[in-house]
Amino acid sequence: MSELLIRNGFVFDPLQGIKGDRMDIGIKGGKIVETSALNNPKTIDAAGMTVMAGGVDIHSHVVGPKVNVGRLFRPEDKLFKSPHKRCSRMEMGSSVPSTFKTGYDYARMGYVFVNEAAMPPLHSPHVHEEIRDTPIIDNAAMPVFGNNWFTLEYLKNNEIENNAAYTAWLLRATRGFGIKVVNPGGSEAWGWGLNCLHIHDPVPYFDITPAEIVKGLIETNERLGLPHSVHLHCNNLGNPGNYTDTLDSLRLAEGYTPKNDFGREQVMHVTHLQFHAYGGDSWKNVESRTKEIMDYVNAHDNITVDMGQVTLDETTTMTADGPFEYHLRAGNNLKWANVDVELETAAGVVPYIYSPKIKASTVQWAVGLELALLAKDPMRIFLTTDHPNAGPFTRYPQVIAWLMSRAARDETMKTFKWLDRTIDATSIDSIDRELTLYEIAQMTRAGPARALGVSNMYGGLAPGMDADIAVYALNPGDMPSDPAGIEKAFSRCAWLVKDGVVTVRDGEVVSEPAKRTVWVDVKVPENAQVQRDIYEHFLRHYSVKLDNYSLFEEHLHNSRVIEVDTT
Amino acid sequence: MANRITLNMITQRSIEEGVAMEKGKTTPEYFEACSIIEMHDDDVKALGLVPNQLVRVTSECGSVIVKTVRGRQSLYPGLAFIPQGVWANQVVPPRTQATGEPQYSGFPVTVEPVNSERRKSALELVQGAVGMWRGDQ
Amino acid sequence: MPKKVENVGCPYCGVCCDDLVVTVSDDGKKILEVENACAIGNQIFHHATGGERIRLPRLRQPDGTYKDISYEEAVDYAAKVLYNAKKPLIYGFGSTNCEGMAAAAKVAEKAGAVLDNCASICHGSSFLAIFDNGYPSCTLGETKNRADVIVYWGANPAHAHPRHMSRYSIFPRGFFTGKGHKSRKIIVIDPRHTDTAQMADIYLQVKQGHDYELFDAFRAVVRGHEIPDQVAGIKREQIVEVAEILKKARFGTIFYGMGLCHSDGRNHNVDIAISLTRDLNDFTKWTIMAMRGHYNITGPGAVWSWQYGYPYCLDLTKRDIAHMNPGETSSVDLAMRDEVDAFFNVGTDAGAHFPIDAVKHLRKHPWITVDPNINMASEISDLHIPVGIVGVEVPGIVYRMDNVPIQYRKVIDPPEGVISDEELFERIHQRLCELEAEETAKEGAKAAPEGVRAGSEP
Amino acid sequence: MKTVTLTLTNPSELLLEGQNITPDNFAGKKTAEIAALDVWEGKQKSPLGKYFTIAGDGGATAAETKIVLLGDCTRVKRIGQQMTAGEIVIEGNADMYIGGWMKGGKVHVKGNVDSFCGIGMEGGELIVDGKAGCHLGSSPRGEWRGMKGGLIRVAGSVGSDTATFINGGTIIIGGAADIHVSTHGEGGTVVIKGDAKGRVGGQMVKGDIYVYGTIENPLPGFKMVGEVEQEVDGEIALFAHHIGDLGERHPVSKGKTVYANLYTRL
């Protein structure tokens, strides 16, 4: 059994409360062990470097149909942009990288677990095919429920038990990880070209509101005791003035407490909060409302959030929020792909350019950073760019630099065309806070792992956990004076050990250990009603046969199942 | 009555072609499904033809002998149709307007009756074109 | 007892019917009956066990005949052709599962080949249009459950997709469309009064090659502008009437086919159809869909997009960066411009379906066919490698015309000894790695890559 | 200015990809260094000197470097791709992508060129004495920011898809144009001195097109609004002025809708 010893690094492990102590980490058989358990380990000298658990991304669009539309319909995203450097497979793409490049780039940054944020259930075989072709990183994928006809019908009648049985069935059918909700009700309304902008807007035909959907799904989630909570993309994304809708959505979690065996402490994860924290009533007078939002989040510990940080790049937006993408293409007139998925969801894809020359973009940039900088508990706010919506995940190191350095923020702000107006519309210029390496570790591994309910395997360095360890060439006692140094260190980790295998060395991928598909299997009592509903809908309304819908075992790759028993 | 007319040619799938193709491209079914041309009655009359007569179809890049049939799916005068497949592809121009797609639909052909010639088999046409035809065995 | 296999996917067209019931003989060797399939699908299953199948690779001999060889010899031959060519072309994949396509891509990447699929001569134009203008689409169940207006433009499903109209568009009763056909308006636009046009409430006989002008007229009318008395052979009044129907639909889908992709303007006909669909969404809900031909021709577009970012026409010769530009890297253009020096025909029949001039150009160089059956390509090849029939003898994922993945089953075993596309390509890949290693060894240390290359090949 | 002369003495079997043949890449290099630059024949990478006989050294900068190509370059692609300054003279034909993504300098082809020449152009001049293929001055696949600037002048006829997604710059065609001119255009000027086959200005938002000959199939989305006298390419002439594509979206500037202009010579 291969043994490794990572020696003398400055270790940051928020799950154990370790704050930069010089420690050794032992690895044996793919797991972290007490160093005393090692016999004859190979040694990695991490002296003068930062040691953290492998990164965990709670919300990223990396595999599946809409990601692939983004790849397919943007050949210009590859032209003269892809690196002339390869691992065992070619690496292509910029804002929407190929599966191979996705795996390699995450690994180079020291990440080991990426949660695909939206899986249309009907397309789950596609998602799993892409997972197979995404090297190194472990993947989970969340099926979307917020516009699913079964869910809408059960929750309209307040049939939580039936909805729970259906949810358990769908998680198993798709080998999914948790309950994703995107623009609840709004994407179903989009089936008729409509939307639900506010949480009390009725969903056409189904006679239910987004608020009822979200509450019903929280109840379902806690009845099942899933590792992760409801993962919500709120209504009215991306529109000036939407912060009140966001507050309304956040309040839906009031009165609910988490029930699970996985250490999860929230009942609702609200994703890419940056897109939901705007005041004003148009892009002319848009302003930051992060204070109101973060005051609420800080005061309610049954909620976690992630940033959705705008990185000021040309990128490709993609979301199951179909009506939003339609709205976006009317603004920039660029190509628009849309895929409405029968009985389940929708999706849209539009290229987008966030530019330092455009006020809307620079305000969005400030809003994202403010959220993190105003957060009291970095264990409840996570670093994301809603890849690739607000920017590609490859820009996380830049985001870290912005969070850790006022100078880095100032330098970027110097490039803004509408700097004064951006400062007027936001509070970014008044914030001096600089996050620490410990807080970064909270936001990028410990926090997301705990929120996902996988902190017994990922996100920390306690013995018994997966030996996923990133070593960065950063000395906490002697941090680079130029913030570009921080960015560089997080872009290419000095070492990544994945499952006990040295995977990245000096920023280059040197091996490709087998990756895993993480999913949740829930045992629920037999439910004849739900079985019959499923049979009926497949007989009459789906365009595929029920027996061909559930993922065949042969299309699930390197399964890592998390079992939950509610019976 | 003209002894040759110029028509606008298109080629597309027909269900007979589809069935026969799956049976095999060397079968009599494929031969009968694909070595045919459909034209508007006016054009058939202009050539003084009766159905089932053979014609030579010539385009900018080649020619082929096919049989005139009265199709179920009507065309307007000036338009001609050969089901997609080996015979059509003897005359389809390979020019692609820089898209990769040959000019399968919408290219000029001349059509003229022939007397003493026969339709060639798929194999004879394809192998013949690349110098591999060794005659019927 | 004969065995019934249910929920079988049909390996014919992009409709991907997955409700077939296939009865297999006691010994599991003969297909006795196929229920629910169209005439063409039926033929595929019966053909699989109905006659003689090729069971071994066949290599062309100096006298022009074929000689049976082992798979091992065939793999070696194929790998060497790929290895020695400066720019081999691997084309086809109309009848392959996604696993096979992924394996073929690995081979193409290793060999520095151009990788292309049948879309190149079929719906490639759609890709070009999608690159330029997007694709507001939906799954077929959406059309079935919601659509009250259906347009078939330059498409003839009655012949090319026999069950399309009954499963998804005209006839089925869906959730919001309980009256089926009665609740829908059908518009067919085609230069021929096709069997599909027989089903139409409104038929527009557009002048061949002038669809673009007609779309432009629709768009102008939808925006409230005047148009000439007649456009592309259609009278103004009729255009205005149809435009009103489109605007007043509750949910509409435009299905389009080769009539747009194969005629003058190619991608632009699709592009402007997409523009019209975008426009109509300002009034109500409209979607558009390409009537993709083969049952898994959507597959390579999906697989290669996630692997490289391009759906077809991938020039992988530079090894570390892929390049795509149909018109240059497309099979027929590569052939006509003499840009390639070896040809792999996989699960298709370029011999029958390419213009004959392109066949002649390709035949100047080695030509290898991978296909379960004898076809025109196999009969002009240097090497023909038989493989199992996907959807009959080999299971796997295929992508329906609406990009929905369908899991196909195996109904019977392939003929003894016959392997799958995936296994064949994995073996060719293995052999290519060996050839590369042999050459590296010959050239000595200087050719060895610096450092440790990730996933170093065995 | 220093001149490097390349003579194609050992033609490739397949097509040759010569993206390194630019003043930018030759600048500051001696003959031998230029001969060592990479060119590709399929997957085979070789030094330029394998195919070309090379005489002369590059200038100190791209602007001070002139490249002359002799011999039959009909099967050489990508000459002058992404060049920013300097000059290239091709004494005969050349293949695809000549002057593609050019930012500055001048390319003069004395024969014909194939498709995708001047694609994605941002500046400089591309002069072709013969004919050009499809996608002249067009945008690369999927790119909505097409030709941004510069001048393309083709004496003969051109294929389809000229100036797709053009945003700026000028294209002057001496002969006829096949279908699709300035499709999706949002700026720039295209002048066709011969006939145009059709689909001129389809889905066009902004920009100008001049056609001196006849348009075989005019689009229904263009409407004549008057007659104007204009100076084009140094001569003044009378044109019928059409606006369109009425089917397409159009921006509003100072309260007025901005259309694309199609001028046909009277």
Side-chain angles (χ1 to χ4, degrees), chain A residues 233-278:
Chain A
H233 157 144
C234 298
N235 300 77
N236 205 9
L237 174 142
N239 290 322
N242 65 4
Y243 82 102
T244 52
D245 297 300
T246 308
L247 287 170
D248 287 344
S249 298
L250 290 167
R251 286 187 196 107
L252 296 173
E254 281 176 17
Y256 294 113
T257 49
K259 295 190 183 65
N260 68 96
D261 299 331
F262 300 94
R264 162 174 63 85
E265 295 175 2
Q266 86 283 8
V267 297
M268 183 201 271
H269 176 78
V270 175
T271 188
H272 40 68
L273 197 53
Q274 177 275 130
F275 286 118
H276 303 273
Y278 309 146

Side-chain angles (χ1 to χ4, degrees), chain C residues 85 111 223 268 271 326 328, chain D residues 43 77 97 141 161 203 245 247:
Chain C
R223 284 182 197 270
H268 297 290
D271 186 310
E328 179 199 17
Chain D
K43 64 189 173 195
K77 294 181 199 181
Y97 300 105
R141 301 293 180 193
D161 291 275
Q203 296 162 282
D245 175 343

Side-chain angles (χ1 to χ4, degrees), chain A residues 70-106:
Chain A
R71 297 189 188 104
L72 185 154
F73 95 150
R74 291 207 64 193
E76 77 282 7
D77 193 46
K78 269 84 62 177
L79 188 69
F80 304 133
K81 281 180 182 164
S82 295
H84 287 251
K85 169 86 193 123
R86 57 180 292 217
C87 297
S88 71
R89 297 302 297 266
M90 197 183 283
E91 296 182 59
M92 293 292 297
S94 174
S95 70
V96 204
S98 68
T99 51
F100 301 123
K101 185 166 163 48
T102 299
Y104 298 142
D105 273 347
Y106 264 113

Side-chain angles (χ1 to χ4, degrees), chain A residues 68 143 147 255 285 370 408 497 520 543:
Chain A
N68 217 30
N147 297 279
N285 65 11
E370 284 171 22
V497 175
V520 174
S543 63

Side-chain angles (χ1 to χ4, degrees), chain A residues 305-516:
Chain A
V305 299
D306 67 80
M307 293 168 70
Q309 176 61 32
V310 164
T311 61
L312 302 172
D313 290 288
E314 176 179 327
T315 191
T316 310
T317 65
M318 52 183 65
T319 168
D321 192 340
F324 169 75
E325 292 289 353
Y326 171 72
H327 174 72
L328 193 64
R329 65 97 236 186
N332 70 9
N333 291 309
L334 298 183
K335 50 189 164 189
W336 166 52
N338 178 77
V339 188
D340 293 354
V341 181
E342 61 209 55
L343 288 80
E344 295 176 352
T345 183
V349 190
V350 176
Y352 196 81
I353 302 166
Y354 296 95
S355 164
K357 295 193 179 70
I358 297 168
K359 193 189 106 182
S361 301
T362 54
V363 168
Q364 289 179 306
W365 173 86
V367 166
L369 293 175
E370 284 171 22
L371 294 168
L373 296 169
L374 296 174
K376 290 231 168 79
D377 180 5
M379 282 301 281
R380 292 200 290 118
I381 179 159
F382 315 128
L383 193 159
T384 67
T385 58
D386 186 19
H387 165 79
N389 282 299
F393 71 82
T394 46
R395 300 279 279 157
Y396 287 178
Q398 166 75 78
V399 179
I400 293 173
W402 283 326
L403 293 173
M404 293 189 71
S405 162
R406 163 98 209 197
R409 301 197 286 270
D410 287 345
E411 203 173 300
T412 298
M413 282 164 71
K414 270 190 233 151
T415 66
F416 291 178
K417 183 173 178 191
W418 306 102
L419 179 59
D420 292 346
R421 292 190 196 183
T422 301
I423 289 173
D424 289 348
T426 67
S427 55
I428 189 72
D429 198 43
S430 67
I431 303 176
D432 290 326
R433 184 176 177 192
E434 294 184 332
L435 300 187
T436 63
L437 283 170
Y438 186 77
E439 287 168 323
I440 294 300
Q442 289 178 299
M443 290 181 67
T444 56
R445 25 283 281 146
R450 193 169 75 186
L452 287 164
V454 295
S455 59
N456 59 334
M457 300 180 278
Y458 301 93
L461 297 169
M465 294 179 70
D466 288 4
D468 300 334
I469 300 146
V471 181
Y472 299 103
L474 274 179
N475 187 332
D478 183 21
M479 289 292 279
S481 53
D482 180 357
I486 301 173
E487 186 183 345
K488 187 163 166 259
F490 279 106
S491 298
R492 298 294 190 101
C493 61
W495 298 86
L496 175 69
V497 175
K498 167 85 181 8
D499 284 323
V501 178
V502 174
T503 303
V504 176
R505 171 89 177 91
D506 289 336
E508 298 296 342
V509 175
V510 293
S511 69
E512 299 178 23
K515 57 91 52 63
R516 298 195 195 83

